[in-house]
Amino acid sequence: MTEIGEKKSFIGRYAKLLVVLATIAGATSGIFANLTAAPPLAIGFWRLTIALPFFAVPVFTKGRDTLKTLTGRDIGISLLAGLFLFVHYFNWFSAVKLTNVSSASVLAALHPLVVLVAMVFVFKQKVGIRPVLGIVLALLGGAMVAGFDYTQMSQGDFKGDICAFLAAFGMGVYFVLGNEARKTVAGPTYVMLCFFACWVCFTIGMVATHTPFLAYTVRDFLCLIALALVCQIGAHGLFNLCMGHVNSLYVSAVETADPVFATILGVVVLHQIPSVTAVVGCIVVVLGLLYFNYWTSQKPA
């Protein structure tokens, strides 16, 4: 009886490994976006068009009752989070087309800075000096990467870095709003509303800029399908399934390694060899974010 009661599910037994696999899956986003000739708006539109039904169908078939309990505030915050997720995606897809995947990944990983600013100035939370030092260290690493690319501005690298910073800003606000929404909104419902709002933004952008919906090659669409299945469902889906089986510190620590995985994939798949300065900057960013994640996870005595 005890063995049956203590028997874990597949996800429960392999949650730590699955978190690593989800991080690697998320790190492929820049690779697939770089390999397709589709513009950033089309990439985001098709990524969400393909993936959204996987998140919407369960809500409308099994979780319809949760929709009835939503307040206007719940819906508003969830949709606003989707708007900033659009800001993140659009700038991220632009970044990987203007600079190398390694630099873009490192700079886009600086979104905890936005969360830190929101914690201090919006929610009036006290933050210790150690988390701040972690962010400062990460910013110094980001400055090393961007500083090197500034010398190559004519090649578009620095413009890509600016887009990566904006992607970090969008992701940071998305996390802050998501944290507020999840206090009263069920996870699947929040994700569906957020992704729907993001999809609407991409659709409006496509129409407003006259971006073609279908004028792409078979290879382009294969990359877009891979983005939806591997990154949107594989990364987001696995992270959501693993929550509750592993602690948040482990998840945040592993997710911090995303730029490392992205750099390795960039070298192997795209043959983008980062400079020594960029590699050192990447290491500094990862160490800074690990330090930040560790100290923000500590509960006050």
PDB file of all heavy atoms in Angstrom, residues 123-142:
ATOM      1  N   PHE A 123       5.517  47.884  -6.584  1.00  0.00           N
ATOM      2  CA  PHE A 123       4.915  47.136  -5.476  1.00  0.00           C
ATOM      3  C   PHE A 123       5.519  47.481  -4.124  1.00  0.00           C
ATOM      4  O   PHE A 123       5.140  46.908  -3.114  1.00  0.00           O
ATOM      5  CB  PHE A 123       5.035  45.630  -5.745  1.00  0.00           C
ATOM      6  CG  PHE A 123       4.349  45.196  -7.007  1.00  0.00           C
ATOM      7  CD1 PHE A 123       5.091  44.853  -8.129  1.00  0.00           C
ATOM      8  CD2 PHE A 123       2.969  45.155  -7.091  1.00  0.00           C
ATOM      9  CE1 PHE A 123       4.471  44.461  -9.308  1.00  0.00           C
ATOM     10  CE2 PHE A 123       2.331  44.771  -8.255  1.00  0.00           C
ATOM     11  CZ  PHE A 123       3.080  44.422  -9.368  1.00  0.00           C
ATOM     12  N   LYS A 124       6.482  48.426  -4.123  1.00  0.00           N
ATOM     13  CA  LYS A 124       7.079  48.943  -2.889  1.00  0.00           C
ATOM     14  C   LYS A 124       7.638  47.835  -1.997  1.00  0.00           C
ATOM     15  O   LYS A 124       7.540  47.894  -0.766  1.00  0.00           O
ATOM     16  CB  LYS A 124       6.036  49.755  -2.103  1.00  0.00           C
ATOM     17  CG  LYS A 124       5.332  50.836  -2.902  1.00  0.00           C
ATOM     18  CD  LYS A 124       6.303  51.881  -3.432  1.00  0.00           C
ATOM     19  CE  LYS A 124       5.582  52.971  -4.215  1.00  0.00           C
ATOM     20  NZ  LYS A 124       6.511  53.971  -4.784  1.00  0.00           N
ATOM     21  N   GLN A 125       8.227  46.824  -2.611  1.00  0.00           N
ATOM     22  CA  GLN A 125       8.828  45.745  -1.847  1.00  0.00           C
ATOM     23  C   GLN A 125      10.284  46.067  -1.541  1.00  0.00           C
ATOM     24  O   GLN A 125      10.984  46.681  -2.350  1.00  0.00           O
ATOM     25  CB  GLN A 125       8.748  44.422  -2.627  1.00  0.00           C
ATOM     26  CG  GLN A 125       7.329  43.937  -2.871  1.00  0.00           C
ATOM     27  CD  GLN A 125       7.311  42.624  -3.631  1.00  0.00           C
ATOM     28  OE1 GLN A 125       8.327  41.946  -3.757  1.00  0.00           O
ATOM     29  NE2 GLN A 125       6.148  42.253  -4.141  1.00  0.00           N
ATOM     30  N   LYS A 126      10.722  45.632  -0.373  1.00  0.00           N
ATOM     31  CA  LYS A 126      12.119  45.836  -0.005  1.00  0.00           C
ATOM     32  C   LYS A 126      12.970  44.746  -0.646  1.00  0.00           C
ATOM     33  O   LYS A 126      12.661  43.566  -0.549  1.00  0.00           O
ATOM     34  CB  LYS A 126      12.276  45.802   1.514  1.00  0.00           C
ATOM     35  CG  LYS A 126      11.640  46.988   2.222  1.00  0.00           C
ATOM     36  CD  LYS A 126      11.907  46.946   3.720  1.00  0.00           C
ATOM     37  CE  LYS A 126      11.302  48.170   4.408  1.00  0.00           C
ATOM     38  NZ  LYS A 126      11.556  48.147   5.891  1.00  0.00           N
ATOM     39  N   VAL A 127      14.029  45.178  -1.288  1.00  0.00           N
ATOM     40  CA  VAL A 127      14.935  44.241  -1.950  1.00  0.00           C
ATOM     41  C   VAL A 127      16.327  44.437  -1.372  1.00  0.00           C
ATOM     42  O   VAL A 127      16.816  45.563  -1.294  1.00  0.00           O
ATOM     43  CB  VAL A 127      14.975  44.463  -3.477  1.00  0.00           C
ATOM     44  CG1 VAL A 127      15.957  43.494  -4.134  1.00  0.00           C
ATOM     45  CG2 VAL A 127      13.581  44.289  -4.065  1.00  0.00           C
ATOM     46  N   GLY A 128      16.951  43.340  -0.948  1.00  0.00           N
ATOM     47  CA  GLY A 128      18.271  43.402  -0.344  1.00  0.00           C
ATOM     48  C   GLY A 128      19.346  43.798  -1.353  1.00  0.00           C
ATOM     49  O   GLY A 128      19.137  43.783  -2.564  1.00  0.00           O
ATOM     50  N   ILE A 129      20.497  44.128  -0.832  1.00  0.00           N
ATOM     51  CA  ILE A 129      21.606  44.560  -1.677  1.00  0.00           C
ATOM     52  C   ILE A 129      22.129  43.421  -2.543  1.00  0.00           C
ATOM     53  O   ILE A 129      22.615  43.639  -3.654  1.00  0.00           O
ATOM     54  CB  ILE A 129      22.747  45.143  -0.796  1.00  0.00           C
ATOM     55  CG1 ILE A 129      23.848  45.759  -1.667  1.00  0.00           C
ATOM     56  CG2 ILE A 129      23.308  44.070   0.118  1.00  0.00           C
ATOM     57  CD1 ILE A 129      23.403  46.938  -2.478  1.00  0.00           C
ATOM     58  N   ARG A 130      22.037  42.180  -2.056  1.00  0.00           N
ATOM     59  CA  ARG A 130      22.599  41.058  -2.810  1.00  0.00           C
ATOM     60  C   ARG A 130      21.877  40.809  -4.137  1.00  0.00           C
ATOM     61  O   ARG A 130      22.541  40.622  -5.172  1.00  0.00           O
ATOM     62  CB  ARG A 130      22.596  39.798  -1.940  1.00  0.00           C
ATOM     63  CG  ARG A 130      23.691  39.838  -0.865  1.00  0.00           C
ATOM     64  CD  ARG A 130      23.503  38.758   0.165  1.00  0.00           C
ATOM     65  NE  ARG A 130      24.642  38.710   1.083  1.00  0.00           N
ATOM     66  CZ  ARG A 130      24.615  38.120   2.258  1.00  0.00           C
ATOM     67  NH1 ARG A 130      23.503  37.514   2.664  1.00  0.00           N
ATOM     68  NH2 ARG A 130      25.682  38.098   3.035  1.00  0.00           N
ATOM     69  N   PRO A 131      20.530  40.781  -4.170  1.00  0.00           N
ATOM     70  CA  PRO A 131      19.863  40.647  -5.469  1.00  0.00           C
ATOM     71  C   PRO A 131      20.222  41.783  -6.429  1.00  0.00           C
ATOM     72  O   PRO A 131      20.391  41.564  -7.633  1.00  0.00           O
ATOM     73  CB  PRO A 131      18.374  40.683  -5.106  1.00  0.00           C
ATOM     74  CG  PRO A 131      18.318  40.212  -3.702  1.00  0.00           C
ATOM     75  CD  PRO A 131      19.568  40.756  -3.061  1.00  0.00           C
ATOM     76  N   VAL A 132      20.361  43.001  -5.885  1.00  0.00           N
ATOM     77  CA  VAL A 132      20.731  44.147  -6.721  1.00  0.00           C
ATOM     78  C   VAL A 132      22.122  43.949  -7.306  1.00  0.00           C
ATOM     79  O   VAL A 132      22.371  44.231  -8.486  1.00  0.00           O
ATOM     80  CB  VAL A 132      20.675  45.450  -5.910  1.00  0.00           C
ATOM     81  CG1 VAL A 132      21.195  46.617  -6.742  1.00  0.00           C
ATOM     82  CG2 VAL A 132      19.236  45.732  -5.466  1.00  0.00           C
ATOM     83  N   LEU A 133      23.040  43.438  -6.495  1.00  0.00           N
ATOM     84  CA  LEU A 133      24.395  43.172  -6.979  1.00  0.00           C
ATOM     85  C   LEU A 133      24.381  42.135  -8.102  1.00  0.00           C
ATOM     86  O   LEU A 133      25.157  42.225  -9.058  1.00  0.00           O
ATOM     87  CB  LEU A 133      25.277  42.682  -5.829  1.00  0.00           C
ATOM     88  CG  LEU A 133      25.681  43.738  -4.788  1.00  0.00           C
ATOM     89  CD1 LEU A 133      26.461  43.080  -3.649  1.00  0.00           C
ATOM     90  CD2 LEU A 133      26.510  44.842  -5.439  1.00  0.00           C
ATOM     91  N   GLY A 134      23.486  41.145  -7.985  1.00  0.00           N
ATOM     92  CA  GLY A 134      23.367  40.133  -9.031  1.00  0.00           C
ATOM     93  C   GLY A 134      22.941  40.748 -10.352  1.00  0.00           C
ATOM     94  O   GLY A 134      23.492  40.413 -11.411  1.00  0.00           O
ATOM     95  N   ILE A 135      21.979  41.660 -10.290  1.00  0.00           N
ATOM     96  CA  ILE A 135      21.508  42.322 -11.511  1.00  0.00           C
ATOM     97  C   ILE A 135      22.589  43.232 -12.080  1.00  0.00           C
ATOM     98  O   ILE A 135      22.790  43.305 -13.301  1.00  0.00           O
ATOM     99  CB  ILE A 135      20.226  43.129 -11.213  1.00  0.00           C
ATOM    100  CG1 ILE A 135      19.056  42.172 -10.992  1.00  0.00           C
ATOM    101  CG2 ILE A 135      19.899  44.067 -12.361  1.00  0.00           C
ATOM    102  CD1 ILE A 135      18.720  41.307 -12.183  1.00  0.00           C
ATOM    103  N   VAL A 136      23.300  43.951 -11.202  1.00  0.00           N
ATOM    104  CA  VAL A 136      24.387  44.815 -11.674  1.00  0.00           C
ATOM    105  C   VAL A 136      25.443  43.988 -12.392  1.00  0.00           C
ATOM    106  O   VAL A 136      25.943  44.372 -13.460  1.00  0.00           O
ATOM    107  CB  VAL A 136      25.020  45.574 -10.486  1.00  0.00           C
ATOM    108  CG1 VAL A 136      26.297  46.289 -10.920  1.00  0.00           C
ATOM    109  CG2 VAL A 136      24.028  46.580  -9.921  1.00  0.00           C
ATOM    110  N   LEU A 137      25.769  42.822 -11.834  1.00  0.00           N
ATOM    111  CA  LEU A 137      26.747  41.934 -12.459  1.00  0.00           C
ATOM    112  C   LEU A 137      26.255  41.477 -13.832  1.00  0.00           C
ATOM    113  O   LEU A 137      27.020  41.474 -14.814  1.00  0.00           O
ATOM    114  CB  LEU A 137      26.996  40.720 -11.564  1.00  0.00           C
ATOM    115  CG  LEU A 137      28.074  39.728 -12.022  1.00  0.00           C
ATOM    116  CD1 LEU A 137      29.433  40.422 -12.093  1.00  0.00           C
ATOM    117  CD2 LEU A 137      28.127  38.534 -11.074  1.00  0.00           C
ATOM    118  N   ALA A 138      24.960  41.122 -13.904  1.00  0.00           N
ATOM    119  CA  ALA A 138      24.385  40.695 -15.187  1.00  0.00           C
ATOM    120  C   ALA A 138      24.408  41.831 -16.201  1.00  0.00           C
ATOM    121  O   ALA A 138      24.684  41.622 -17.386  1.00  0.00           O
ATOM    122  CB  ALA A 138      22.957  40.199 -14.978  1.00  0.00           C
ATOM    123  N   LEU A 139      24.120  43.046 -15.744  1.00  0.00           N
ATOM    124  CA  LEU A 139      24.150  44.202 -16.648  1.00  0.00           C
ATOM    125  C   LEU A 139      25.559  44.467 -17.169  1.00  0.00           C
ATOM    126  O   LEU A 139      25.746  44.848 -18.330  1.00  0.00           O
ATOM    127  CB  LEU A 139      23.613  45.442 -15.933  1.00  0.00           C
ATOM    128  CG  LEU A 139      22.089  45.523 -15.774  1.00  0.00           C
ATOM    129  CD1 LEU A 139      21.713  46.706 -14.895  1.00  0.00           C
ATOM    130  CD2 LEU A 139      21.421  45.641 -17.138  1.00  0.00           C
ATOM    131  N   LEU A 140      26.552  44.275 -16.326  1.00  0.00           N
ATOM    132  CA  LEU A 140      27.939  44.455 -16.762  1.00  0.00           C
ATOM    133  C   LEU A 140      28.282  43.451 -17.866  1.00  0.00           C
ATOM    134  O   LEU A 140      28.940  43.791 -18.852  1.00  0.00           O
ATOM    135  CB  LEU A 140      28.890  44.278 -15.573  1.00  0.00           C
ATOM    136  CG  LEU A 140      28.901  45.411 -14.540  1.00  0.00           C
ATOM    137  CD1 LEU A 140      29.794  45.048 -13.355  1.00  0.00           C
ATOM    138  CD2 LEU A 140      29.369  46.715 -15.176  1.00  0.00           C
ATOM    139  N   GLY A 141      27.808  42.211 -17.698  1.00  0.00           N
ATOM    140  CA  GLY A 141      28.024  41.210 -18.738  1.00  0.00           C
ATOM    141  C   GLY A 141      27.321  41.591 -20.025  1.00  0.00           C
ATOM    142  O   GLY A 141      27.877  41.451 -21.121  1.00  0.00           O
ATOM    143  N   GLY A 142      26.086  42.093 -19.895  1.00  0.00           N
ATOM    144  CA  GLY A 142      25.340  42.536 -21.073  1.00  0.00           C
ATOM    145  C   GLY A 142      26.032  43.697 -21.758  1.00  0.00           C
ATOM    146  O   GLY A 142      26.059  43.787 -22.994  1.00  0.00           O
TER     147      GLY A 142
END
